[in-house]
Amino acid sequence: MAPRVPLPVTLLLGAALALQVGYQAVRAPQHRVAATLQDAPPLAVLRLASLGEPVALAKAMTLHAQGQDAADTPLNDIDYVALRSWFERIVDLDPRGQAPLLAASQVYAASSDPARTRIMLDFVYRRFGEDPDRRWPWLAHAALVARHRLHDAALARQYAQAIRTRVTNGVLPAWARQMELFILDDMGEDDSARALIGAMLASGQVSDPRELAWLERRLHAISARQRQAHP
């Protein structure tokens, strides 16, 4: 027997569909307008409207929010502040859902407008802290965006450091734990990189023999580089 969909969810889906159909019908190709999205309703209102089915409502809201940007609508035409409010409410309603974090870090962070990109990265970073063991992949991607799209090494390091220090050791793969070291290398922060490796070795955070050997090699390479620079 198929699960019953709550009436508010059905209405919201219908409203979203009607909005999209109407928008496409009246939009002339030669007069593109910016995609409009109002701020999301208050969480208390949404919880009441869900009739005990917050996950179903969250999925409907995801469709509505992401349906605002048609395939030919530039990311820079989207109201990122309003979009973020929808993502916030969706995560509140469905904390285990990953769609808003994935969309924020991998789709909407691709905007050519640095301010818009930062809105999405900040959203991912703040919500990462509530469930680091499940949400770290999205923050890892945010760190790459910060480093290579925004060219903000300090922000990338902040994200990488949060991943290294807040995610359970058994959950985090070696490449993610080492991300901060690579960013420090890019920044030319040899002293900080040496201190970080020393802390990782001393803390027992790393137990895999291959990773330990790699860290030791990195430490020796940094020390050799510093001796050459300052004989």
Side-chain angles (χ1 to χ4, degrees), residues 9 53-63 89-91 93-94:
V9 176
E53 304 254 6
V55 173
L57 180 56
K59 294 184 185 303
M61 291 176 65
T62 300
L63 293 175
R89 298 292 184 270
I90 292 166
V91 173
L93 290 169
D94 181 16

Side-chain angles (χ1 to χ4, degrees), residues 8 14 26 38-39 66 73 88-89 91 102 124 132 143 157-158 173 197 200-201 204 208 217 220:
V26 302
Q38 300 299 317
D39 287 344
Q66 294 186 263
T73 302
E88 295 277 12
R89 298 292 184 270
V91 173
L102 183 155
V124 173
R157 186 193 176 187
Q158 177 186 347
I197 293 174
M200 292 172 70
L201 293 173
D208 184 273
R217 290 195 300 271
H220 291 317

Side-chain angles (χ1 to χ4, degrees), residues 87 98-111 117 120-121 123-125 135-146 149:
F87 284 168
Q98 302 294 320
L101 296 159
L102 183 155
S105 63
Q106 298 191 15
V107 178
Y108 296 100
S111 170
T117 297
M120 292 293 104
L121 298 190
F123 160 72
V124 173
Y125 175 62
R135 297 178 180 171
W136 70 264
W138 317 123
L139 189 60
H141 192 83
L144 296 177
V145 172
R149 181 175 291 276

Side-chain angles (χ1 to χ4, degrees), residues 43-78:
L43 180 59
V45 172
L46 292 171
R47 290 196 186 282
L48 183 63
S50 73
L51 297 180
E53 304 254 6
V55 173
L57 180 56
K59 294 184 185 303
M61 291 176 65
T62 300
L63 293 175
H64 176 68
Q66 294 186 263
Q68 297 306 297
D69 55 305
D72 61 344
T73 302
L75 292 178
N76 290 353
D77 283 350
I78 299 170

Side-chain angles (χ1 to χ4, degrees), residues 223-231:
S223 297
R225 188 164 63 224
Q226 288 184 316
R227 286 196 297 270
Q228 290 176 355
H230 305 285

